[in-house]
């Protein structure tokens, strides 16, 4: 249980990694690992919003994941299409707005259709935002922002960090806590811009096995961090 006086991060990112290794350990196919991971997203996302998180960004498919076998990519695309269909009812019930970050090309039509539907059906919800990062790459996002800026003929002298952020896929607050499951300690091209001052936490657990208690522990770890943002703490100002 997370106690009431804990600081809850406004924006949490999760790199939901380890589906394949989890499946291997269980003697299952990689596909079954992805299915278990997707099921767990529902549980963990609902819990995060219950705890007071306002924005949850989930890395569910990177631009680089298209390098995987056709069979695995097709399975994942089918899984997204099926899951997203159920998610609109689920997130409407919880008053959660669903947004997507990533490039549309070359996502299949069935996935794009579900994405549009879900965005539309949940657009007026006010209880929190779930940002599915699908066919997402942090470098691609920055390039795409620059392209928009050039195409729109923006006067570059007016650009600053705040106005540049408005050209990213979504206008969201910065990431406070970035969690990557499975023990890997890298960003793998996730939310490069938004993580400029994020705290990082790398639990060993594979995502399908990541529980509400593991989520609580991540919040506890976050509360033990000293976020300075380049400054110094008042009590340390000795000279
Ligand atoms: C993360 O699990 C899910 C996606 C990348 C879609 P992985 O499939 O990367 O699982 P591991 O890292 O091989 O265990
Ligand atoms: C990052 O995981 C992408 C997602 C979790 C969707 P990967 O498993 O693709 O990353 P690498 O290849 O280990 O860096
Ligand atoms: Mg992986």
């Amino acid at each position: 249980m997370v106690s009431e006086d804990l600081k809850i991060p406004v924006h949490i990112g999760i790199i939901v990694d380890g589906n394949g290794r989890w499946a291997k350990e269980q003697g299952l196919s990689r596909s079954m690992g992805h299915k278990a991971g997707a099921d767990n997203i529902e549980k963990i996302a609902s819990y995060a919003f219950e705890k007071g998180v306002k924005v949850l960004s989930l890395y569910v498919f990177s631009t680089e994941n298209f390098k995987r076998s056709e069979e695995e990519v097709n399975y994942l695309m089918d899984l997204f299409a099926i899951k997203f269909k159920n998610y609109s009812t689920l997130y409407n019930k919880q008053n959660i707005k669903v947004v997507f970050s990533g490039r549309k090309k070359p996502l299949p039509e069935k996935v794009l259709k579900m994405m549009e539907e879900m965005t539309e059906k949940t657009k007026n919800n006010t209880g929190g935002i779930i940002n599915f990062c699908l066919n997402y790459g942090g470098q691609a996002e920055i390039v795409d922002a620059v392209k928009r800026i050039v195409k729109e003929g923006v006067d570059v002298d007016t650009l600053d960090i705040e106005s540049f952020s408005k050209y990213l896929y979504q206008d969201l607050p910065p990431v406070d806590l970035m969690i990557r499951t499975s023990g890997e300690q890298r960003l793998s091209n996730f939310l490069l811009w938004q993580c400029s001052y994020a705290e990082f936490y790398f639990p060993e657990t594979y995502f399908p096995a990541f529980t509400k208690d593991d989520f609580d522990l991540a919040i506890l770890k976050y509360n033990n961090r000293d976020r300075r943002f380049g400054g110094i703490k008042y009590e340390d100002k000795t000279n």
Side-chain angles (χ1 to χ4, degrees):
M1 273 293 287
V2 172
S3 96
E4 295 308 315
D5 50 4
L6 282 176
K7 268 189 293 184
I8 301 295
V10 174
H11 186 173
I12 293 187
I14 310 182
I15 304 177
V16 296
D17 198 15
N19 293 350
R21 280 164 286 168
W22 177 85
K24 196 171 174 199
E25 243 183 38
Q26 311 285 315
L28 299 170
S29 63
R30 288 185 63 82
S31 301
M32 287 305 99
H34 291 314
K35 164 86 176 54
D39 289 345
N40 202 31
I41 281 180
E42 285 164 40
K43 210 168 79 192
I44 296 300
S46 302
Y47 189 63
F49 292 117
E50 242 174 70
K51 291 286 147 194
V53 171
K54 299 292 177 221
V55 184
L56 185 66
S57 288
L58 297 168
Y59 205 8
V60 295
F61 195 90
S62 71
T63 46
E64 290 75 26
N65 287 148
F66 275 110
K67 290 179 193 161
R68 296 188 180 192
S69 72
E70 206 183 316
E71 189 195 348
E72 183 166 351
V73 170
N74 286 343
Y75 181 84
L76 280 164
M77 293 302 147
D78 286 345
L79 186 64
F80 293 141
I82 293 166
K83 280 288 176 192
F84 291 164
K85 204 169 179 161
N86 306 332
Y87 284 169
S88 27
T89 322
L90 178 73
Y91 294 124
N92 269 331
K93 234 187 254 166
Q94 296 172 15
N95 194 23
I96 302 300
K97 179 175 166 174
V98 180
V99 298
F100 289 90
S101 293
R103 284 185 174 164
K104 288 194 168 154
K105 266 189 195 162
L107 292 175
E109 198 48 48
K110 62 180 173 221
V111 174
L112 291 170
K113 194 173 150 259
M114 293 317 303
M115 284 163 65
E116 258 168 52
E117 235 179 85
M118 205 157 55
T119 310
E120 183 56 32
K121 280 187 182 163
T122 63
K123 70 177 182 206
N124 296 322
N125 291 346
T126 52
I129 299 174
I130 188 158
N131 174 30
F132 283 106
C133 300
L134 203 175
N135 194 22
Y136 175 87
Q139 290 177 323
E141 177 172 36
I142 295 169
V143 170
D144 289 349
V146 173
K147 282 185 178 171
R148 270 185 61 201
I149 288 167
V150 174
K151 273 190 194 149
E152 289 177 22
V154 175
D155 173 3
V156 289
D157 291 328
T158 65
L159 272 180
D160 56 18
I161 291 167
E162 216 184 302
S163 57
F164 186 91
S165 330
K166 309 269 181 243
Y167 290 90
L168 297 170
Y169 294 138
Q170 300 295 334
D171 188 12
L172 297 172
V175 173
D176 298 300
L177 173 65
M178 175 57 70
I179 303 169
R180 181 174 188 149
T181 56
S182 91
E184 306 299 345
Q185 301 192 7
R186 54 178 172 266
L187 260 183
S188 300
N189 204 10
F190 192 37
L191 300 178
L192 301 181
W193 175 281
Q194 297 84 344
C195 279
S196 61
Y197 258 104
E199 295 297 326
F200 289 83
Y201 177 54
F202 299 109
E204 295 289 325
T205 324
Y206 298 137
F207 187 72
F210 187 81
T211 61
K212 293 177 182 176
D213 284 347
D214 294 323
F215 183 86
D216 284 346
L217 185 60
I219 300 290
L220 276 176
K221 297 271 181 195
Y222 173 78
N223 275 262
N224 291 332
R225 303 285 173 86
D226 177 16
R227 301 190 81 191
R228 298 188 194 173
F229 299 98
I232 47 172
K233 284 197 297 189
Y234 181 74
E235 58 268 33
D236 291 341
K237 283 182 188 165
T238 46
N239 50 9

